[in-house]
Amino acid sequence: MGNIIVEILVRGLYNLFGLDSPYSATGYGPNWTKQRRKCLERDDYQCRICGKTETEIGRRPAVHHITPRREFAASEWHQMNALSNLVALCPSCHGTVEGKYQDTSPEEFVAKSRQNF
Ligand SMILES: [Zn+2]
């Protein structure tokens, strides 16, 4: 129990300073919290496909891995969580495009998603 509290505190401190956390037990990689925040900032906390804002969605958009996490080895978290593989999406769009348009850039991903709506 004490270890969990320490881990949460350490995660918070690393995140606060924008550093890669020493923990990656979630499978999201040690830089996930930082990269997730960078993606949301880049995408203005809006769904990149339909443009819904955080307020309209009612919570922060999801940060989607264009090429899914399962396609990466555990050691490849740097590529997995690269901003070029992340895009902010509302839950509705996220459900529609899950698993589609892998191996594309965020711009290509958004363009293809919009075309096929
Ligand atoms: Zn959307």
Side-chain angles (χ1 to χ4, degrees), residues 36-95:
R36 181 176 172 274
R37 192 187 62 226
K38 281 188 183 177
C39 175
L40 289 169
E41 286 172 0
R42 182 197 64 189
D43 294 345
D44 288 327
Y45 295 84
Q46 294 181 358
C47 176
R48 280 281 291 267
I49 297 175
C50 72
K52 272 189 191 163
T53 64
E54 181 177 359
T55 311
E56 288 168 325
I57 297 166
R59 60 182 174 89
R60 290 195 166 176
V63 174
H64 173 64
H65 287 89
I66 297 170
T67 296
R69 288 190 296 126
R70 64 176 176 272
E71 299 295 327
F72 295 89
S75 61
E76 294 176 323
W77 52 267
H78 205 267
Q79 296 97 298
M80 179 176 84
N81 293 335
L83 282 178
S84 57
N85 192 42
L86 300 177
V87 64
L89 298 178
C90 75
S92 172
C93 291
H94 198 192

Side-chain angles (χ1 to χ4, degrees), residues 91-116:
S92 172
C93 291
H94 198 192
T96 307
V97 299
E98 187 60 58
K100 294 181 184 167
Y101 322 125
Q102 299 178 19
D103 298 311
T104 58
S105 69
E107 292 72 26
E108 289 170 310
F109 175 84
V110 168
K112 289 186 177 191
S113 300
R114 284 182 177 159
Q115 271 168 21
N116 293 291

